[in-house]
Amino acid sequence: MFTIQAVGPVPSWKRRQLARLILDPARAGLPCRDEVKSRLRDMRQDAVDRMCSLADELAGRIAAAGGEGVFAAADASEAVGRIREISRGGPIAVNKSSVVTKELVPALAEAGCRVVETYYDELAPFACRFDRSWQLPDVGSSLPVEGIGTTADLVAIRRESERQQGFRGFTGLVGASAVSAREGAVLMLQHGRNVTRIFREARTIVIMAALDKIVPDLDAAFLQTRGMALFGFESLLLGLHGRPERGSGAALDELPIGRSEGRADRSIHMLLLDNGRSALLGGKYRDLLLCIGCRACVKGCAGSQFTDLPGRWSPKEYAESLVAGRSPPDDFCLQCKSCQANCPLGIELPDMIIAAKAELAAGRRRRVGESVLGKMGSLERWASRAPGAANVLIASAPARWLAEKVLDLSRRRELPRVRGATLPKWFRSGKPEP
């Protein structure tokens, strides 16, 4: 049997810490974040070095303890096939795990499965104040690592719910925040109550454990999960919204409650997902596996909010897609390097994005937009001969629409104005700034 625990801010500790901050910020005793980052880096390096052996150790540990089923999937297609078998055609409720929503949900939808995203269902409709990275308040220091701990035993909650009320006819697909190979324990970071509800009401549970989420022991699992909460708390506010306008209830409320027909009808499975991760171990993109999934890289990203990609992609997810050869339709990286600065492990995402783009470009013909934008210097020189006409053209709606369709240049971008004198000409003239 699995040990599965929900992890989140401990309410009593959080109240005490906030009171200390208000009364005397200088004596609040906040932990040193640099120390946490150093411990995380060392732990993640060790986990990546032993990634494949840790997966084998975990599978053996669960089997020895009488676990109900551990399955390995080489890619998303194989994982979706197994999930469809387990769900028996019923709805599939998911949590806000990046692995689940970015790697599996699109394939599940394409396969005709009904996917219920539960995270926003528990929030009443509201307008989010924060949709730009620079609007975020600096609130991370109010969530110290010691204030994040176990909030629920999900297996015990599931047993009690089965005894009291039965289950609803759906399968829960939940991504693990960290899995301990030594103890076979699963930790899940929960901001609200949706994960607890999935465990309470789902007929069957599938725990999605990506290979890079497996760590040596329970202490490492808690460190990783707490790190996700500590460093990702602020970016969580970006794009936050309430449930869709379809009524007052959550989507799961529409499903009737039934009774278990036996142990197999209330089973818990674990799916170990590779999906290209083991292929990164020996290459130049290996450091992508160090990521703990906190999404702190989103906080300072100036481009991610201006895309038409489903959900808010993080720079790490964007880099991962490029490396895997699944180039997303939008190119939002500005090479500002804020993602690297905000990453608690200092992963050099900008360099990897550039390298992956170069590899993709070498393997195909350049698009029209890439060819044109690659000759921006020549375009600017021609435009500077008639700056007035160029500026009118740049500002016109039809030209912006055409640039978006042909050059993949968003019509929402504000382009710089053209001047008659180029920078070299102005510099050589010795004149003051025009």
Side-chain angles (χ1 to χ4, degrees), residues 58-76:
L58 172 64
R61 173 68 180 82
I62 293 175
E68 297 169 48
V70 180
F71 308 94
D75 53 33

Side-chain angles (χ1 to χ4, degrees), residues 62-121:
I62 293 175
E68 297 169 48
V70 180
F71 308 94
D75 53 33
S77 177
E78 187 177 342
V80 166
R82 184 58 185 159
I83 294 166
R84 291 184 68 191
E85 290 178 14
I86 294 171
S87 66
R88 291 185 273 176
I92 300 171
V94 301
N95 66 338
K96 201 171 180 282
S97 160
S98 176
V99 175
V100 172
T101 57
K102 296 296 191 301
E103 299 184 37
L104 297 186
V105 166
L108 285 168
E110 187 176 341
C113 300
R114 180 190 172 191
V115 178
V116 180
E117 299 194 25
T118 62
Y119 181 78
Y120 295 108
D121 266 356

Side-chain angles (χ1 to χ4, degrees), residues 118-129 192-193 239-251 253:
T118 62
Y119 181 78
Y120 295 108
D121 266 356
E122 63 186 37
L123 303 174
F126 69 95
C128 181
R129 292 177 54 197
R193 298 181 299 274
L240 195 65
H241 61 79
R243 61 174 170 264
E245 293 280 5
R246 62 164 179 272
S248 59
D253 293 333

Side-chain angles (χ1 to χ4, degrees), residues 359-381:
E359 290 179 1
L360 282 173
R364 59 169 172 79
R365 291 183 60 184
R366 298 179 71 186
R367 296 193 296 266
V368 174
E370 293 172 334
S371 299
V372 172
L373 294 177
K375 300 176 181 177
M376 187 56 69
S378 300
L379 289 175
E380 286 288 345
R381 281 193 295 272

